[in-house]
Amino acid sequence: GDGRRAGMRHLGDHGAERDHHRGVDRGRDLGDGVAEGPPEQVGFDPFDQHEIAGLVGQRQDMDPVIGPVDDTTAVVSDADLGPALAEVEEAVKQGNEFLDSEDKEVAPDEEALLTQCEAHIEAAKKWNERAAVMLEAVGSEDPPSLEDASTLIRDGNLCPIALDGFDLLSEAVNTAKSWLERAQPCLKGKQLTRRGASNPIPPLSEAHQLLQESKNLKLYVKEVAGLQERVEDAKDWDVDAQDAVKRWREDGAEVTLNELDVSHEDFGLELPGMKMVRIRINSLKWEERVAKVIAPKAKLIDDTVLDELRAQIDELQDLKEDLVAEIIQRHKIVDEWRKKADLLLDPPPLEDGRLAPSASPDEIDALIAEGKALPANVSKVEDLETSLADHAVWVETVRKCLN
């Protein structure tokens, strides 16, 4: 034969057809041409096998596979964009010239590299055609979607050849993805961390900032419309909140305030008006609670509860004055007794540095009597009673021993 396998073919040609194209006479005996000597076996010189292999390597060290890619494939494109299309085409041209040579043989692995090159050339051309259409729409009033652009970039990452507009599309995709990642907290609402703690809800101002930045996106991101709708709904919510805050003492206003509190969580945004809504709700709850505390024949509350009610006065607004005055007065009485008890039970040293004498049982007994008359249950009163009883037992025991 011609010294080459029928499987050795020009790219795009079938083996038998290629042999026919070369004028191979399959009727010749196997012994014909033996005197001519074996064909010269050489590699792709000057464009050798290693250079070909370099051209068919994948962008970002990915396997040279042509096919669909999962949607989760990363869309990053800072790697070397690869050789130019014309460079690869020239490499294939030189390789085919060696393949067509009558006195040189191309090894099977070298022919496989040529086949890979041709596949990449075809893929690159098709990609460039798709990209050209997309690039015309990028940044226009009807831009391509982030999903479509991401798919195109993922396809481009499979091709080791430098692609037209690949870097521009990559930048547009990465910018859009970065925006979307920062917008997720505003879109998802209240979330729990892995430890079960609640993440802080982003403020409405952050959503406004994101919408302002979205005007510079070159691709269509469907979540922009969702965020815009949420912000518009927040404006309507704020109007209702302001009205409820003004009418907070009217009948039915508390129900409206609680409904606003529940609906607020649906926005996933901390709305400015919610602060005042919470204050009004807590103020109404405080007044209702205090009214029960000071009611005739009401059960005494613990002094810790009284401390809490007193502290809330400084946090809330527009509380009923008579209720505020009553809690302040009760807290003052209790607090003064506690300070008196601390001073009696733990007196400061005398001027000369000596320890002050301990309180007498009569002094403690009088302090207990005052404590029982307080407008709140103070745990220290019970502690004093127990201590005084133990002291009496000790005194009686000592007297019996001395008698």
Side-chain angles (χ1 to χ4, degrees), residues 246-257:
K246 291 179 182 178
R247 300 184 300 102
W248 73 296
R249 290 202 177 278
E250 297 180 9
D251 293 340
E254 185 174 3
V255 175
T256 302
L257 289 169

Side-chain angles (χ1 to χ4, degrees), residues 13-134:
D13 295 333
H14 295 289
E17 294 175 347
R18 187 61 189 161
D19 286 338
H20 178 72
H21 174 71
R22 294 173 183 160
V24 176
D25 183 4
R26 294 193 175 275
R28 297 171 61 186
D29 294 334
L30 294 178
D32 291 348
V34 172
E36 298 174 4
E40 180 184 2
Q41 296 189 12
V42 296
F44 292 142
D45 183 27
F47 197 84
D48 64 23
Q49 177 178 355
H50 298 292
E51 294 181 68
I52 293 279
L55 290 178
V56 298
Q58 281 302 113
R59 188 191 313 279
Q60 297 183 336
D61 298 325
M62 298 177 68
D63 294 333
V65 179
I66 304 294
V69 184
D70 186 82
D71 288 341
T72 59
T73 303
V75 181
V76 280
S77 310
D78 294 331
D80 183 8
L81 295 181
L85 178 59
E87 183 180 356
V88 182
E89 288 179 319
E90 179 62 24
V92 172
K93 178 182 177 182
Q94 292 182 27
N96 279 318
E97 288 177 354
F98 283 109
L99 195 63
D100 287 337
S101 175
E102 294 292 338
D103 57 350
K104 297 180 181 180
E105 181 174 313
V106 177
D109 58 336
E110 294 174 330
E111 185 180 9
L113 289 174
L114 284 173
T115 302
Q116 285 183 317
C117 283
E118 183 188 49
H120 287 312
I121 290 172
E122 187 66 21
K125 290 181 177 179
K126 291 181 179 179
W127 193 96
N128 286 342
E129 291 175 0
R130 294 164 60 195
V133 176
M134 185 170 290

Side-chain angles (χ1 to χ4, degrees), residues 285-304:
K285 289 181 178 179
W286 185 92
E287 292 179 349
E288 181 181 0
R289 189 179 184 188
V290 170
K292 293 179 180 179
V293 167
I294 67 176
K297 299 182 180 181
K299 183 180 178 180
L300 288 181
I301 59 174
D302 293 337
D303 60 335
T304 54

Side-chain angles (χ1 to χ4, degrees), residues 278-384:
R278 291 194 184 101
I279 289 177
R280 291 302 191 222
I281 291 175
N282 292 331
S283 294
L284 291 171
K285 289 181 178 179
W286 185 92
E287 292 179 349
E288 181 181 0
R289 189 179 184 188
V290 170
K292 293 179 180 179
V293 167
I294 67 176
K297 299 182 180 181
K299 183 180 178 180
L300 288 181
I301 59 174
D302 293 337
D303 60 335
T304 54
V305 176
L306 186 61
D307 290 337
E308 180 185 346
L309 292 173
R310 175 61 185 87
Q312 288 176 335
I313 292 176
D314 299 330
E315 301 170 359
L316 304 176
Q317 298 179 14
D318 303 324
L319 297 171
K320 291 181 178 179
E321 294 181 0
D322 57 331
L323 299 180
V324 171
E326 183 66 26
I327 292 299
I328 290 178
Q329 179 62 23
R330 293 191 179 201
H331 186 266
K332 180 180 179 181
I333 294 172
V334 170
D335 203 42
E336 288 179 350
W337 182 91
R338 289 184 297 198
K339 292 177 180 178
K340 181 179 179 180
D342 291 339
L343 187 62
L344 183 64
L345 298 175
D346 188 20
L350 299 176
E351 293 182 0
D352 59 4
R354 292 181 300 162
L355 295 177
S358 300
S360 67
D362 290 340
E363 289 177 316
I364 295 178
D365 194 43
L367 186 65
I368 291 174
E370 291 180 15
K372 289 183 176 181
L374 294 173
N377 292 320
V378 182
S379 59
K380 187 170 289 187
V381 173
E382 185 176 347
D383 294 339
L384 288 173

Side-chain angles (χ1 to χ4, degrees), residues 190-199:
K190 189 175 182 179
Q191 302 177 73
L192 294 179
T193 63
R194 292 181 178 178
R195 296 183 178 180
S198 178
N199 278 331

